Amino acid sequence: MARFKYSAYGLTIFSEIKLSPLMAEQSTQAPSKKKRDSPSVTIVSGSVPPNGFTDSYTKFSYCHVRPEVVWLKVPNVARFLIEKGQQITFASELGDNNFGLIDHTAKKFNQLDIALFILAQCIPYILMQRGYLVLRASAVAVNGKAVLFAGSTQSGKTTYAAALHNRGFDVISDDISVIDESNRVLPGYPYLKIWANIVRYLRHEISSFTPIRPDVEKYWYPLTEGFCSSPLPLHHVYCVNKNRTNQWQTKKITGIKKTDTLNKQRYRPVVHDTLEQTPLFPKLLQLATQVSVTEVAWPNPLSVVGKKPRIAHQLQYFLDQINVNNALS
Amino acid sequence: MVKNSDIAAKPILHVLASYPKSGNTWVRAFLTALRNVEKRSFGEKTSSNSTGSVEINRLAGVSFVDRTMVETRVGLDSADLSQLEIAHLRKEAINQFKEKLTISKDQNRGFLKIHNINAMPIRTGDAVPFLDFENIDGVVYIVRNPLDTCISYANHAGTTIDSAIKDLSSNEQMYTSWATQNYVTEQLSGWSAHVKSWCKNKDFNPLIVRYEDMSKQPTLTFAKLAKFLGFCCSAGEVEQAIQQVSFDKLKQQEQKLGFNESQINTGGFFYKGLVGHWQSVLSTPQFQAIINDHGEVMHELGYLDENHKPTELMCGS
């Protein structure tokens, strides 16, 4: 029974559990006949195989993939079945304590963890199952267009999104960016998850933020203002990498290499390729003709040179680029 | 030379454990060279360059400290996981790595470079070993006297020698890349605790290799290492491999091509490589601080005599 209803990434999400206090809840009354055709996802608790599938097409320790189903396990948190772009079933991995009693505090944290992993890791697979192009990127709105910061774990995507948000730019999505058939970036969740050092860089009091999980030094950063809730056409993709040297390198990608570079920014490409019914290459090729792509490699944005974090210079680079692009457009 | 794949039909995984800047990379370079010698004796192509040195950016051994590498193996995003959860994922990724070592063409042999103390992160209070040792076929522990280690460590971390001395004595010491944060944090702990955790473990019997022996008696030391790891090679072949990985050759290559394991803000990964460098660099208080912190373990390893005076072993020639 769906108790909660949300919107994100162009989906209508009906959930048995509360997903995030930072996401606006909508009325769970039955959708109108007109809206019944809009893409919807249902999240329910239920039975999920403890050890995945024996006949997976693609198999990793904690992720088994068939063309229409993904089995995912977050050890000691929960197992998930993500099916046909329509349903997520979860089963908690929380056991009873030694006396066979339920620890209510542990249960509460477990449910928060389950909600977090549904939003962060299951919804992207739902979107892949629906045929969207899912990129490992954060997106910021600049003059009615989307600018993406793409890169692997801890490459600085969220740092740049948070820093630009602090300078007055709207955030479209964090960590995962989804491109629809019209090459628009779909609005994600109205929050960022930022590390303690970014909170400090933004000169906020850490005590006023809630940690995303008890043992993780990462905090919910609500976008009560400065969240872009409408899809925006994709304009520029910055592929950010941390450099092992002090060198600062930027390279504008042109021609057919753009397709290859964009392809490398896909979220979990192996999973994507097992799920995908239609090849993504034509879509990437078409996208490459319409967007600018720049590779940027520089040292960790929060490392310090002199007494100033490097991000100050790096941010200035992006702002200069944005101004140049504005002048040209 | 007897081809190893003829002998070993199952995947073999050895751990190469050490405190940072103790010669782990030198050992990996030697093993790469030995593999090359082995391949050449069977007419296969190798990764050595035109100068006859091994390619330093293609060394044998993986460490699974790169989070992306761990994520790729286990199929799970680590972005919202705790350090302890990531450490467990790393353990699983290592098991997967062993499982997938192919069983032909000498690729069944894997090496795992580890700087972690032999324990799970202390801060979490988790007592579970960070490796599944039933999956490990042997442990080599490479150790270097802490007087020289701290000098090289200071250069590597871009810090002062006094700060390095503090790090070597801190049991809270963590180790991540100074260049990026895209790394699994390793719990280093202090130098003495690190040595004890690996060398006094009852679950396995490590081969302890001293950096000073690699430098002063290379043929004997590397031959013993090769034998322990199951290489069936002649003394001449060991000698050939040693020649390929001389400190000067590795350093020259780093200066020319760069080394993808070096850190930023440092004078290069391959620094001096000297035994007894401490004699001309450390002040008396710095020397005494290290002896006070690590004298007991240094004595056990033969670096200090019964009066806690430096032995010949750790002095330069």
Side-chain angles (χ1 to χ4, degrees), chain A residues 59-63 72-75 77 116-117 120-121 125 136 152-154 175 193 195 197 212-213 215-216 218 242-246 267-268 300, chain B residues 67-68 71-83 85 88-89 92-93 96 100 177-183 259-265:
Chain A
K59 200 170 183 173
F60 307 95
S61 304
Y62 300 123
C63 180
L72 193 72
K73 174 176 167 171
V74 181
V77 175
L116 183 151
F117 288 109
Q121 302 208 26
Y125 289 138
R136 193 77 203 251
S152 60
T153 301
Q154 291 195 316
D175 200 38
K193 289 178 286 183
W195 292 98
N197 50 5
I212 62 163
R213 301 181 67 208
D215 294 331
V216 180
K218 221 172 172 183
K242 285 180 190 161
N243 207 340
R244 300 194 72 87
T245 70
N246 277 322
Y267 181 71
R268 298 247 167 276
N300 181 356
Chain B
R67 284 171 57 161
T68 308
E71 289 175 351
T72 306
R73 290 270 170 190
V74 301
L76 199 61
D77 219 345
S78 66
D80 299 327
L81 299 182
S82 67
Q83 283 300 331
E85 287 170 325
H88 278 288
L89 289 195
E92 177 59 27
Q96 284 292 312
K100 291 184 177 160
S177 165
W178 285 274
T180 77
Q181 292 181 329
N182 191 24
Y183 275 65
F259 183 33
N260 59 20
E261 295 179 36
S262 67
Q263 306 291 347
I264 58 170
N265 298 331

Side-chain angles (χ1 to χ4, degrees), chain B residues 147-216:
Chain B
L147 297 168
D148 282 340
T149 303
C150 82
I151 299 168
S152 187
Y153 183 101
N155 174 67
H156 187 65
T159 186
T160 62
I161 288 174
D162 286 331
S163 173
I165 291 171
K166 275 187 192 160
D167 282 354
L168 261 68
S169 67
S170 163
N171 285 341
E172 291 281 300
Q173 179 62 7
M174 307 296 278
Y175 188 72
T176 50
S177 165
W178 285 274
T180 77
Q181 292 181 329
N182 191 24
Y183 275 65
V184 175
T185 302
E186 293 192 289
Q187 172 96 31
L188 262 194
S189 204
W191 183 87
S192 289
H194 196 279
V195 174
K196 285 185 203 168
S197 78
W198 285 101
C199 299
K200 295 193 172 179
N201 193 298
K202 290 172 187 164
D203 297 335
F204 50 82
N205 191 18
L207 175 74
I208 300 170
V209 178
R210 293 183 300 201
Y211 183 96
E212 294 74 15
D213 290 328
M214 298 197 305
S215 179
K216 292 181 174 183

